[in-house]
Amino acid sequence: MPDDLLRHVIGPTPYSSWWLWLAIALTVVLIVFYLGVFVATSPRRRLRTVPVVGAARDRVIRYRAARAVRAIGDRYRAGDLDAEPAGEAVDRELRRFLRQVSGVRAEYMQIDDVANSEIAAAAPLLANLVDVRFNAASGLDVGVVSHDAEELIRSWA
């Protein structure tokens, strides 16, 4: 075999550097994905201690709850809901909000228990909602009570 043909034989073709950058990018995406899953599935109390995530989570919960209460009040004012179902819906949304924000199981608590807990600021409003729901002769307006609930939600610290 003549030596002049050896100049046409070369070694393996080198890999492109794009493969390295693609592997690095996919690794970073995988790490971010697992961190997202960890944050999304972590217990709520621990999530509240993360500075940016906890503040954003509380803001989103506050916004959703206030929007739901406002929608219930608007439906009552429009005549789509009677006083008792509207009061029950506002009570349910308010208690759900209190549980999500404070961790106190407000859905299962009596008014006296609420008054003696860390969510005591909501006890008078919950008492008004109980009056609206169970007292047919109540003089309270559900529209006003729903507005008060919305203000409590927006100002909750």
Side-chain angles (χ1 to χ4, degrees):
M1 182 169 182
D3 288 341
D4 59 340
L5 294 178
L6 287 178
R7 64 186 162 106
H8 296 290
V9 177
I10 59 171
T13 304
Y15 288 110
S16 173
S17 64
W18 286 106
W19 289 109
L20 173 66
W21 291 112
L22 179 67
I24 291 171
L26 288 175
T27 304
V28 168
V29 167
L30 183 69
I31 290 170
V32 168
F33 173 76
Y34 277 114
L35 284 174
V37 168
F38 175 74
V39 167
T41 59
S42 66
R44 301 288 189 223
R45 289 183 183 244
R46 250 193 324 183
L47 191 59
R48 247 183 275 132
T49 62
V50 178
V52 175
V53 176
R57 177 187 167 274
D58 287 345
R59 184 174 301 157
V60 168
I61 289 171
R62 193 174 294 121
Y63 173 75
R64 285 182 183 168
R67 187 180 66 201
V69 169
R70 184 180 331 115
I72 293 165
D74 291 344
R75 286 182 60 202
Y76 171 74
R77 287 182 207 95
D80 294 340
L81 283 175
D82 290 333
E84 294 83 14
E88 193 272 328
V90 170
D91 184 71
R92 184 178 53 244
E93 287 297 328
L94 181 60
R95 288 177 185 262
R96 183 180 301 145
F97 166 77
L98 291 171
R99 174 156 186 188
Q100 288 176 342
V101 170
S102 67
V104 175
R105 299 182 69 179
E107 297 102 332
Y108 309 108
M109 296 175 71
Q110 300 293 325
I111 301 299
D112 295 336
D113 297 332
V114 170
N116 295 327
S117 68
E118 65 184 67
I119 57 173
L125 183 58
L126 289 172
N128 288 344
L129 287 168
V130 166
D131 187 42
V132 166
R133 287 174 59 198
F134 297 112
N135 184 4
S138 175
L140 293 172
D141 182 26
V142 178
V144 173
V145 175
S146 68
H147 179 71
D148 292 344
E150 185 179 347
E151 289 301 316
L152 177 76
I153 289 169
R154 289 193 187 281
S155 66
W156 193 266

